[in-house]
Amino acid sequence: MKVLVSGATGFIGRQVVKALQGLSRCRVLASARNIDKLKILGADYLVYDLNQEPHNCYEQLGRPDVLIHLAWEGLPNYRESFHLDRNLVNHYRFLKSMIAQGLPSLTVTGTCYEYGLQNGCLQETAPTNPATSYGLAKDVLRRRLEALRQEHPFSLRWLRLFFLHGPGQPERTLMGQLDLALAAGRESFDLSRGEQLRDYLPAVEVAALIAKVALQTRHDGIFNVCSGEPISVRRLVEEHIAAKGGRLRLNLGVYPYPDHEPLAFWGDPARLRLAAAAFEEEWNHVASL
Ligand SMILES: NC(=O)c1ccc[n+]([C@@H]2O[C@H](COP(=O)([O-])OP(=O)(O)OC[C@H]3O[C@@H](n4cnc5c(N)ncnc54)[C@H](OP(=O)(O)O)[C@@H]3O)[C@@H](O)[C@H]2O)c1
């Protein structure tokens, strides 16, 4: 089975490529724009900018059986209009061309920001109401892909990722900043009050789950990619400092809570677990994911 990973050089993409490389029945094709970053993945790669005209893109990208589409430009900058003006337009054009040219199975990473300002345990059936351009662009992309299935039959898995942490995380993220502060031996770390509840998973686990949902054949549709176990940001940070043997003092309340996120939300992983179980059965425990 030929599996193409777009955005293969990103924080999540690098881990997804590694997860797929552990599967003997998979031939992995990695794609992104920067050839130097692609070369170090140790997979077959194809340099491709999805802002270009997608004539013949399915052929150019090796006629994969499955596309795991992780590419997205300009993160985080959640409020900026380029998510809608450029990314939404170009990603839909690219994905529509891939499907029209023969791609049978598509897995795309969305975001928990599609839900907008809703508190509590969120299920995939909850109505979406994004509060950022980023969340809206992803939500509209999903709706357009769903509508496209009326024209072309293809398998669509839409993965709403919640929060991730782990090695290689971007310095711009909370946990990336925390690791920098620990590595620099700083005495204190500025935080919000830290009482907001979030749903975090290690990036390596998220990558394995993305691969599993993409490769199983029984379940289509929307999947929360989450733990189902809310944790306060303060506790997450304190546990991470303790695990690293650090001595950082937290300056709580320095930053306000972000107004594009609800105070307490997490995901229901029931559909995710069904798909992961289907993968285990179908791949007959040959897989090492
Ligand atoms: N990280 C999270 O916490 C999180 C949470 C929810 C959802 N997500 C979603 O998960 C996906 C991956 O996130 P990430 O954190 O791994 O992102 P990232 O680290 O910013 O990586 C983005 C990837 O996309 C590629 N890319 C960007 N523009 C491209 C273009 N025009 N043509 C081709 N490739 C392009 C980049 O490589 P080049 O620049 O070399 O092309 C890179 O490989 C995204 O769709 C994101 O929305 C992430």
Side-chain angles (χ1 to χ4, degrees), residues 213-227:
V213 178
L215 297 185
Q216 57 80 37
T217 61
R218 282 185 215 158
H219 303 280
D220 267 7
I222 306 171
F223 301 85
N224 287 332
V225 179
C226 59
S227 69

Side-chain angles (χ1 to χ4, degrees), residues 7 9-12 33-34 49-50 70 73 109 134 138 164:
T9 56
F11 171 44
I12 301 171
R33 291 171 299 182
N34 184 317
D49 182 347
L50 57 79
L70 306 173
E73 210 166 334
T109 44
Y134 169 57
K138 291 277 189 175
L164 294 83

Side-chain angles (χ1 to χ4, degrees), residues 5-55:
V5 181
S6 76
T9 56
F11 171 44
I12 301 171
R14 294 191 297 272
Q15 304 279 358
V16 171
V17 168
K18 257 190 219 159
L20 293 168
Q21 283 170 328
L23 299 173
S24 56
R25 279 197 267 154
C26 259
R27 174 165 174 227
V28 190
L29 299 172
S31 125
R33 291 171 299 182
N34 184 317
I35 190 168
D36 296 324
K37 290 186 186 169
L38 280 167
K39 276 181 180 168
I40 54 180
L41 295 174
D44 290 338
Y45 63 84
L46 298 149
V47 177
Y48 189 88
D49 182 347
L50 57 79
N51 291 322
Q52 72 194 52
E53 279 299 323
H55 301 307

Side-chain angles (χ1 to χ4, degrees), residues 57 89 145 155-156 161 163 199 218 220-221 234 242 261 272:
C57 54
V89 175
L145 291 169
S155 161
L156 176 61
L161 271 49
F163 296 87
D199 188 326
R218 282 185 215 158
D220 267 7
R234 179 179 177 171
E261 289 179 355
L272 177 72

